Amino acid sequence: MRIRLLGPVELRAGADGFTTLAGAQRRAVLALLALGLGRVVTVDRFCEALWGERPPASARAAVQGHVAALRKVLADTPFELHTRASGYLLTGPADEVDALRFESLTALAADHADHAGHADAFDLAGATGTVSGDAEAIALLEEALRLWRGEALADLPDTPLRTAAVDHLKQSGTAALLRWASLRLRQGMGAAAVPVLEQHVRTNELREELVALLMRCLHQAGRPADALAAYHQARLRLDRELGIRPGPALQAALAEVLADDGPAPAPLPPTAAAARVPEQLPRRMVDFVGRQAELDRLDEACAPDRAADGPVLVVGPAGVGKSALVTAWAHRAGDRFPDGRLHADLRGLAPAGPARPDAVLADFLHALGVPTDALPADRAGRAALFREHTRDRRLLVVLDDAADPDQVADLLPEGTGCAAVVTSRGSLEALVALDGATLLRLAALPEGDARHLLERALTPARVRAEPDAAAHLVRRCDRLPLALRIAAARLAAQPEWTIAGLVAELDDEQRRLAVLDAGDGLGIGPQLDLTHRQLSSSAAELLTALAVHPGDEVDALASAALLRTDPATAHRALGELAAHHLLTGTAPARYGRTDLVRLYGVGLLAELPEARRRLLRERLADYYLAALQRCGLLLDPGQEDAEPPVHAPQALPSVGDIRTALDWFRAEEPAVRALVDATAVTDPARAWRLALTSGSLYYGASRFADWLARAVVGQEAAERCGDPVAVALLHNCRAQALVALERRHESAEAARKAVAATDAIGSIDSADSNESTDSADGPRAASARVRSLATLALVTAMLGSSAEAERLAASATTLALASGNRRRLVDAKVHQGWVSLATGDRDGAQRHSREARELLPPTPVTQVHLWSLLTEAQALPPTVRDETADLAWHRLLAACEEAGLLYLHALAEQSYAAHLLARGRQREVSGRLRTALDRFRSHDRQAGYRSEFTAALEELNLRSADWSPGR
């Protein structure tokens, strides 16, 4: 033995015997690593073990110091201490840790007893067993019990985690003692167990099964008076400290003693039905890993001093390991329920229908000793009898795979010493509301636990040989234990396969669910089939329709568009899918889904006719187009594509200003991006409209690189449609994105192509034409030409050609006036104001910008309002009084802050700093430039490039006295 935990914590590093490590905290670190041998122990768990709920600021550094010291001490042992991303891992032989050796010996004792033919190897009622099997089990248990040297972890810091660990070890030790004494009793050698039992009863007199076993051993040793004294002493203490009467175990032992006052040299058979201790738990899963937080939560929720008496409800999606978790915990906590462990598979999702509560009640009552002829005929009578039989017991009841609250209601035990744990794929909200259930939602395994599961199933060496492939496999299985076990089983059955080879199969989305199907209903697909059968028609329809949605998240508005219904109906359908754990709430009214659920939906979608699939895709694209139009108007009221979509949705996002519009866009941008890319070939007319309409929102959200990528895709889609106006608009969109990215020469080339594309449209002869536009493409072509000329004017001014820029800007304004379209004129005037400022015409810049603002209603404030205000502020003459100028600047900065326009706000801060510098107010400049730099850096992270402004400000290092405003 190298590490001893069943007493003071000690380590034997060399040949000089065991030593106590210096420092209680260092001993605690070693104990935690040894108890979790082969598993990663997180730094947070070390902090909890060392300092409880309030670790100091230096806690992590202290843990690192203890680990470094332990590495040196462990150098001469078979143990290795490894560093992992989330914590530390100790590896080595489990038999060299006394607590783990103890677990191994007690498990081996159980195996020997089972092989000897015992139905219950440790039946506390005294059933006869095979002598040789008992003898082998007794020897193993005695070896295990000799490992104890006092209270476990005796010299560690007194924290809640240490207390929990000690309690767990103590319960295991007491359970082993009970098993050993029971076997001695069955051999007719109960007298040999009396001294040990008396010692333990003195410190644990409230443990009724311990006192009951002592009574039987005393009775068998010919000491019935002492047995009765032990009973009465326990009875008095139970009444005094807990206010309860002796339970069935003590009552049964008393009945045996009273039935025969003489010595009992041989094991006694059960003499009362009340002595039956049912054990119905399924066998524990050998490769169960992780879930420590959930196990602790179950411990807390089922503890004798728990705050609520309701059941614990464990819910989660298919394959997440609800049953495995509860079974593992029930075996671990079983000794806390000495009157038995009941279990029922309620078959909530079974095709043949769920289990009938009256049948389950009959099974439970039989297990509790009620004969068949004493069973009531109806459910209500059986429920009443079950409550009566559980009222004074300490039972654990596990109800697996519940269908609904009604199925569970009569199966919950009555006694305050009982606990019930229910698993379900549904949310069973009524059980929480009406029965006070404690809800435990089970999510997918953390990355580390998922990898550990693979290592347990495949051997650590095989997994560590392909770490990247193993990580990829974990992701492809959505970190679901069922999927991981199926994948591991396939690899275990084919030792010559590589993990990477299986991952390649899983990468094929059309085959992934098939690969994760082990047959006979064991697979992710078959399990999702069971859930799908429980859905209402609207929820099932939505699950299928969501397969056309390319985003990771969806809301009620997009769902309503897919179902062609109102948001309230869609919200109910989403709620139902979430209740069955097919979706997960990520934010209020927003839901996410896993890849495996998405692929299941794709399979459902494939069963629909092509026309129906196409209609769903069109509805979704048209919803996003309409939503982009509404939100985009708050940034660019002159946006080009205002034509309503074919499938107009019933509801759109409720946005009233720039900030709420951008909030919506940031949440939905991944879906918009994926939708543009997905429809570029299959539905190019919608793809280019989506790309074009999202442009102002990409700009407002500082997503410049993504904007350019979508503009390129949109341009290619427009070219596929053969629509010259669309081609011109998308060339211009690309030019705007390029100028935002400060790629000005490329922007000018794209803008020229946009202008050239409008030249090909016969209804417009030149940029100076005053001729009306009579063709169907006339208004669209005029809009495209105004936009293209205005963009080309701006970038031309940036490149230094002032005269040409002024001519182009004037041409755009002239054409906008001729068209009679107010929105086109706003756009032309805004650009003309920018060009005037860039060419040194302050009066023109002020006039054009003010005219643009006055063409718009004062509310809602749009991005065009703010750009015009910025130009007007930048163009203020030097003679303007400071108070007047400051009022204009502060009005602009406050509006930018309220709107949440990061880039525009940064430019405004930088420009105001330049204004202050020009006015000789140097003391105020540094703070403004620092704010501008912070905002430019934030913008750059979103935009995907490093702005010239950021570079200039960083070069100045906030100290330059030679700063001139730029655009």
Side-chain angles (χ1 to χ4, degrees):
M1 201 66 58
R2 292 281 185 166
I3 298 175
R4 298 203 298 198
L5 309 176
L6 302 179
V9 176
E10 296 177 341
L11 171 70
R12 180 165 61 86
D16 297 332
F18 285 94
T19 59
T20 300
L21 292 173
Q25 290 188 344
R26 189 162 300 167
R27 293 193 293 273
V29 171
L30 176 63
L32 209 55
L33 287 165
L35 287 172
L37 189 72
R39 301 192 302 272
V40 174
V41 181
T42 65
V43 175
D44 288 342
R45 193 130 179 101
F46 284 119
C47 293
E48 186 182 354
L50 270 55
W51 296 283
E53 297 179 354
R54 295 185 178 180
S58 60
R60 289 180 176 270
V63 170
Q64 291 171 355
H66 290 311
V67 168
L70 283 176
R71 276 206 176 95
K72 296 178 182 178
V73 175
L74 293 170
D76 295 329
T77 73
F79 296 98
E80 287 188 61
L81 186 47
H82 308 272
T83 301
R84 293 292 182 262
S86 59
Y88 300 95
L89 168 72
L90 184 68
T91 58
D95 278 356
E96 294 290 335
V97 179
D98 62 355
L100 303 184
R101 174 64 177 164
F102 173 81
E103 291 181 1
S104 174
L105 288 169
T106 55
L108 191 58
D111 289 342
H112 275 284
D114 288 342
H115 292 158
H118 288 287
D120 182 354
F122 306 115
D123 181 0
L124 302 187
T128 303
T130 302
V131 174
S132 61
D134 284 353
E136 292 168 350
I138 286 171
L140 290 166
L141 288 169
E142 288 176 347
E143 182 182 351
L145 292 168
R146 282 195 296 271
L147 295 171
W148 286 78
R149 298 169 291 111
E151 182 179 279
L153 311 177
D155 52 353
L156 300 191
D158 188 14
T159 63
L161 186 60
R162 182 257 182 192
T163 301
V166 170
D167 286 346
H168 173 65
L169 291 169
K170 185 176 180 181
Q171 288 162 7
S172 298
T174 303
L177 173 68
L178 289 170
R179 293 164 184 163
W180 168 77
S182 297
L183 290 172
R184 282 291 192 187
L185 184 69
R186 277 199 286 270
Q187 284 191 325
M189 300 173 62
V194 166
V196 180
L197 288 173
E198 286 179 330
Q199 179 184 352
H200 280 76
V201 164
R202 280 193 291 271
T203 60
N204 199 1
E205 195 171 358
L206 294 177
R207 183 111 185 207
E208 291 187 46
E209 69 271 30
L210 196 61
V211 179
L213 190 54
L214 172 61
M215 290 172 62
R216 289 194 176 92
C217 290
L218 286 166
H219 184 223
Q220 191 181 75
R223 299 166 57 186
D226 291 336
L228 292 173
Y231 171 83
H232 289 298
Q233 186 175 351
R235 178 181 60 79
L236 290 172
R237 190 166 181 182
L238 287 168
D239 180 61
R240 183 175 62 251
E241 297 189 21
L242 300 180
I244 62 174
R245 295 175 297 168
L250 273 177
Q251 292 175 18
L254 177 63
E256 292 178 23
V257 174
L258 293 176
D260 180 8
D261 288 336
L268 296 176
T271 60
R276 297 182 65 172
V277 179
E279 179 56 82
Q280 295 184 333
L281 294 178
R283 67 178 182 85
R284 71 178 76 205
M285 189 170 285
V286 294
D287 61 348
F288 180 82
V289 299
R291 301 289 192 200
Q292 188 58 52
E294 291 85 352
L295 290 167
D296 292 345
R297 180 82 184 279
L298 284 167
D299 281 341
E300 178 184 348
C302 295
D305 58 349
R306 60 187 182 273
D309 289 332
V312 180
L313 177 58
V314 181
V315 299
V320 79
K322 301 179 291 295
S323 301
L325 167 70
V326 172
T327 300
W329 172 82
H331 278 286
R332 189 178 84 164
D335 290 336
R336 304 178 204 170
F337 304 96
D339 296 329
R341 278 71 59 186
L342 299 174
H343 176 277
D345 181 1
L346 300 184
R347 304 192 305 275
L349 301 180
R356 296 192 343 266
D358 59 331
V360 177
L361 285 166
D363 181 56
F364 282 177
L365 289 168
H366 282 146
L368 293 172
V370 178
T372 302
D373 56 6
L375 286 178
D378 62 335
R379 172 178 171 177
R382 292 179 181 183
L385 187 60
F386 181 63
R387 289 193 294 272
E388 179 184 337
H389 275 263
T390 57
R391 186 168 291 119
D392 296 322
R393 293 177 185 255
R394 283 176 288 174
L395 282 167
L396 173 63
V397 179
V398 176
L399 304 172
D400 194 22
D401 192 20
D404 53 52
D406 178 68
Q407 186 190 29
V408 170
D410 288 334
L411 305 179
L412 301 177
E414 180 80 4
T416 57
C418 298
V421 183
V422 183
T423 75
S424 178
R425 207 172 296 179
S427 62
L428 304 196
E429 293 177 356
L431 203 63
V432 178
L434 301 179
D435 288 283
T438 299
L439 185 62
L440 175 57
R441 293 189 182 277
L442 208 57
L445 286 171
E447 292 277 353
D449 287 346
R451 181 186 174 95
H452 187 207
L453 191 154
L454 288 179
E455 290 179 350
R456 291 281 295 270
L458 296 175
T459 73
R462 189 170 179 185
V463 174
R464 292 168 189 167
E466 299 181 78
D468 293 340
H472 198 162
L473 177 62
V474 166
R475 290 192 296 273
R476 285 290 176 258
C477 291
D478 283 345
R479 294 181 284 116
L480 290 176
L482 176 60
L484 287 164
R485 286 192 175 95
I486 292 172
R490 290 174 64 86
L491 288 167
Q494 303 290 339
E496 69 280 3
W497 284 12
T498 63
I499 298 176
L502 182 60
V503 167
E505 281 195 78
L506 292 170
D507 282 342
D508 182 352
E509 291 195 343
Q510 294 184 343
R511 297 196 62 241
R512 190 178 305 168
L513 287 174
V515 173
L516 296 176
D517 189 341
D520 295 328
L522 183 63
I524 298 299
Q527 290 300 310
L528 290 174
D529 282 336
L530 295 177
T531 305
H532 184 251
R533 293 190 187 105
Q534 309 300 312
L535 300 177
S536 67
S537 58
S538 59
E541 181 183 358
L542 180 57
L543 180 63
T544 303
L546 286 176
V548 305
H549 195 292
D552 293 329
E553 295 183 357
V554 67
D555 66 359
L557 294 174
S559 300
L562 284 168
L563 295 179
R564 200 161 183 78
T565 188
D566 59 276
T569 301
H571 190 73
R572 285 193 293 272
L574 286 166
E576 184 178 345
L577 293 177
H580 285 86
H581 297 93
L582 295 168
L583 299 178
T584 303
T586 56
R590 294 190 66 80
Y591 298 87
R593 59 188 167 171
T594 64
D595 273 350
L596 293 176
V597 170
R598 177 182 60 82
L599 294 177
Y600 181 77
V602 169
L604 297 174
L605 182 70
E607 298 174 4
L608 298 181
E610 171 56 31
R612 177 66 178 172
R613 298 200 297 270
R614 183 172 61 252
L615 177 61
L616 290 171
R617 287 191 288 265
E618 290 175 356
R619 284 179 182 173
L620 185 69
D622 284 356
Y623 160 72
Y624 276 107
L625 180 58
L628 290 167
Q629 288 173 341
R630 169 170 288 191
C631 294
L633 279 172
L634 291 167
L635 285 96
D636 180 8
Q639 65 180 3
E640 300 94 332
D641 185 21
E643 181 182 344
V646 174
H647 305 289
Q650 292 189 24
L652 289 171
S654 178
V655 293
D657 54 30
I658 293 173
R659 183 176 288 275
T660 54
L662 289 177
D663 286 344
W664 176 87
F665 179 70
R666 290 188 181 100
E668 295 289 353
E669 189 278 332
V672 171
R673 180 184 352 132
L675 204 56
V676 172
D677 294 346
T679 57
V681 176
T682 60
D683 196 351
R686 285 183 169 85
W688 74 255
R689 294 186 70 190
L690 287 166
L692 181 67
T693 312
S694 62
S696 61
L697 292 157
Y698 272 115
Y699 186 88
S702 290
R703 300 287 293 273
F704 292 178
D706 291 325
W707 179 18
L708 176 60
R710 302 291 79 69
V712 170
V713 173
Q715 177 190 317
E716 293 169 351
E719 290 168 351
R720 288 190 189 96
C721 292
D723 183 340
V725 175
V727 171
L729 289 171
L730 267 299
H731 273 305
N732 183 66
C733 183
R734 188 165 63 88
Q736 291 173 323
L738 286 164
V739 76
L741 287 165
E742 299 169 359
R743 293 160 60 177
R744 299 184 183 93
H745 289 285
E746 295 175 73
S747 174
E749 180 62 27
R752 292 188 194 99
K753 288 182 178 179
V755 173
T758 64
D759 288 338
I761 304 170
S763 61
I764 300 179
D765 294 329
S766 70
D768 297 320
S769 174
N770 292 323
E771 188 179 320
S772 64
T773 55
D774 299 326
S775 70
D777 278 337
R780 295 175 64 237
S783 178
R785 190 168 185 85
V786 170
R787 286 274 184 164
S788 303
L789 286 169
T791 302
L792 184 57
L794 176 64
V795 73
T796 300
M798 289 179 172
L799 292 173
S801 299
S802 299
E804 177 64 9
E806 290 174 339
R807 185 190 71 79
L808 290 166
S811 297
T813 300
T814 300
L815 181 57
L817 284 166
S819 73
N821 188 306
R822 193 182 187 92
R823 291 189 302 176
R824 291 182 200 142
L825 185 57
V826 169
D827 193 57
K829 285 287 186 182
V830 170
H831 282 76
Q832 196 169 19
W834 291 344
V835 170
S836 296
L837 181 65
T839 57
D841 180 6
R842 288 176 179 266
D843 291 340
Q846 286 259 341
R847 184 177 68 257
H848 295 311
S849 298
R850 185 169 55 254
E851 289 172 350
R853 275 196 302 112
E854 290 172 351
L855 286 167
L856 293 170
T859 57
V861 175
T862 68
Q863 190 170 243
V864 173
H865 286 87
L866 300 182
W867 271 115
S868 298
L869 287 172
L870 176 59
T871 303
E872 292 175 55
Q874 290 173 322
L876 286 170
T879 56
V880 172
R881 295 175 57 190
D882 278 357
E883 294 83 355
T884 303
D886 284 349
L887 183 63
W889 282 108
H890 292 162
R891 175 188 175 194
L892 169 65
L893 290 169
C896 289
E897 178 74 33
E898 184 177 350
L901 291 167
L902 195 57
Y903 183 59
L904 184 57
H905 198 172
L907 280 176
E909 289 281 5
Q910 174 264 314
S911 298
Y912 185 35
H915 165 82
L916 293 171
L917 188 62
R919 296 285 176 117
R921 296 161 62 180
Q922 285 88 347
R923 293 180 62 183
E924 301 174 59
V925 171
S926 178
R928 291 292 174 182
L929 288 181
R930 194 180 308 279
T931 301
L933 179 58
D934 289 342
R935 295 191 183 280
F936 274 122
R937 284 170 171 165
S938 297
H939 158 77
D940 292 354
R941 287 192 292 271
Q942 298 291 325
Y945 81 114
R946 187 166 181 259
S947 165
E948 292 175 355
F949 294 103
T950 307
L953 286 171
E954 289 176 343
E955 185 177 348
L956 286 171
N957 198 24
L958 307 179
R959 291 194 299 268
S960 174
D962 182 24
W963 179 265
S964 57
R967 296 301 297 265

